[in-house]
Amino acid sequence: MPRHILNDLAAFAAVARTRSFTAAAAELGVSPSALSHTMRGLEERLGVRLLARSTRSVAPTEAGNALLERLTPALAQIDEAVTALSDFRDTPAGVVRLTTFHWMASTLLADRLPAFLARHPEIMVEINVDDGLRDIVSSGFDAGIRLGDSVEKDMIAIRIGPPMRAVVVATPDYWRSHGRPEHPRDLRRHPCIGYRNLSSGTLMPWDFEKEGKELRQQVTGPLVCNSSDLALAVVRSGRGVGWHMETDVREDLEAGRLEQVLDDWSQPFPGAFLYHPSRRQVPAPLRALIDFLKI
């Protein structure tokens, strides 16, 4: 098979998988218009329509789905064969594509990734920051990073961070003026700073646990946002109550700028895990990242 046909088939698979010329073009490093031209040329050579296009969407036709079903495992085998060549190199090289959420990117990865990049100059890490729970296989990612309790059971999960804890905090002046809650339900009479997940559109509840009993409390207040930094700034100003990772407020607690309540309801939960699909051959760049991050 001519090399250009193989490249065009791989490009078709990217378009069919992402259902977007823009997303596929970004993944392949070409322009959407050039990719569209390539697809039309492929369809002309094969003599069959592979993609149904409209002004707003693109999707594989019946013939395109049939081709994609057989093409996907073949391309995966080619990718594994090429990736396996890294084992013969002195140092791993290639691309690792990850997806994670904003807080993880700005804390754990911001702290540890620079040292990995310095140690492995021939590895490029591409990170998609998205609070939604992405399907890493269908989205074309090598791995994802999430909190342990949200990792699918069919994935290989590697711990890369210690257990974590979320705590309820406000300023000392706020607690003196408004009183301290003795039970999570008491938070309903306090102005709480909420967090909305933009991917799902849902307002995140505050989770608590005591003596094996779990409680999920919905809160309301003067601010809803999807920035933990902004939420914490408002809490520090004394305008409300926040629910934050203990590591984010440790210095405030030690300095007395914030005070914690409901400590006995704030139990540790699984920390960060890197997860990837179960497969025989783990790409060398991903294996290097796992070895660096795991604890």
Side-chain angles (χ1 to χ4, degrees):
M1 178 184 295
R3 180 179 179 84
H4 70 275
I5 294 292
L6 182 59
N7 290 340
D8 290 354
L9 288 173
F12 159 74
V15 175
R17 171 171 48 78
T18 61
R19 300 197 171 206
S20 166
F21 279 111
T22 302
E27 182 178 314
L28 297 169
V30 299
S31 69
S33 59
L35 182 57
S36 178
H37 180 74
T38 297
M39 292 300 95
R40 292 189 185 281
L42 177 63
E43 290 174 325
E44 289 176 3
R45 287 194 298 273
L46 298 180
V48 63
R49 191 180 183 193
L50 300 174
L51 297 168
R53 302 166 175 84
S54 72
T55 56
R56 294 187 177 182
S57 65
V58 58
T61 62
E62 183 179 355
N65 275 321
L67 176 61
L68 182 65
E69 184 177 350
R70 306 187 99 182
L71 195 59
T72 299
L75 290 173
Q77 287 185 339
I78 293 172
D79 183 61
E80 285 191 10
V82 173
T83 298
L85 295 176
S86 296
D87 293 336
F88 295 92
R89 297 173 56 92
D90 293 333
T91 58
V95 179
V96 180
R97 298 189 71 236
L98 298 176
T99 180
T100 190
F101 55 100
H102 285 79
W103 185 86
M104 190 63 66
S106 63
T107 54
L108 186 145
L109 287 179
D111 180 55
R112 301 172 64 184
L113 192 60
F116 173 80
L117 297 176
R119 181 177 297 183
H120 297 282
E122 296 188 43
I123 294 178
M124 185 185 84
V125 181
E126 180 179 339
I127 298 177
N128 174 273
V129 179
D130 185 350
D131 286 343
L133 299 180
R134 286 289 195 103
D135 182 334
I136 62 173
V137 176
S138 64
S139 299
F141 294 105
D142 297 301
I145 297 176
R146 292 183 194 165
L147 299 179
D149 54 1
S150 60
V151 175
E152 291 92 342
K153 301 304 181 184
D154 60 345
M155 292 287 166
I156 303 297
I158 301 96
R159 179 182 288 278
I160 61 172
M164 301 165 64
R165 195 168 76 129
V167 295
V168 178
V169 295
T171 63
D173 285 344
Y174 175 88
W175 293 131
R176 280 193 292 269
S177 299
H178 296 80
R180 296 169 180 265
E182 297 182 359
H183 189 278
R185 287 192 293 269
D186 297 338
L187 292 169
R188 290 178 291 193
R189 58 182 176 82
H190 288 270
C192 297
I193 310 304
Y195 184 96
R196 187 177 300 280
N197 187 313
L198 292 186
S199 298
S200 65
T202 58
L203 188 64
M204 182 180 294
W206 295 9
D207 291 329
F208 299 94
E209 180 183 349
K210 181 178 180 180
E211 298 176 352
K213 179 182 178 181
E214 297 180 358
L215 187 151
R216 177 161 284 191
Q217 182 64 50
Q218 291 289 352
V219 298
T220 59
L223 173 68
V224 174
C225 63
N226 70 325
S227 167
S228 58
D229 290 337
L230 175 59
L232 186 52
V234 174
V235 172
R236 286 170 175 153
S237 75
R239 304 304 301 174
V241 179
W243 188 59
H244 293 274
M245 293 297 180
E246 190 173 29
T247 53
D248 290 348
V249 296
R250 181 171 290 128
E251 291 185 4
D252 292 287
L253 295 172
E254 292 175 350
R257 292 186 295 268
L258 296 177
E259 291 181 357
Q260 177 189 346
V261 297
L262 300 174
D263 182 68
D264 55 342
W265 281 94
S266 303
Q267 300 299 317
F269 58 88
F273 285 77
L274 182 148
Y275 63 100
H276 63 87
S278 175
R279 58 183 179 183
R280 295 185 301 273
Q281 182 71 33
V282 177
L286 176 57
R287 187 166 62 245
L289 182 63
I290 291 172
D291 290 342
F292 185 87
L293 292 179
K294 69 182 179 182
I295 61 172

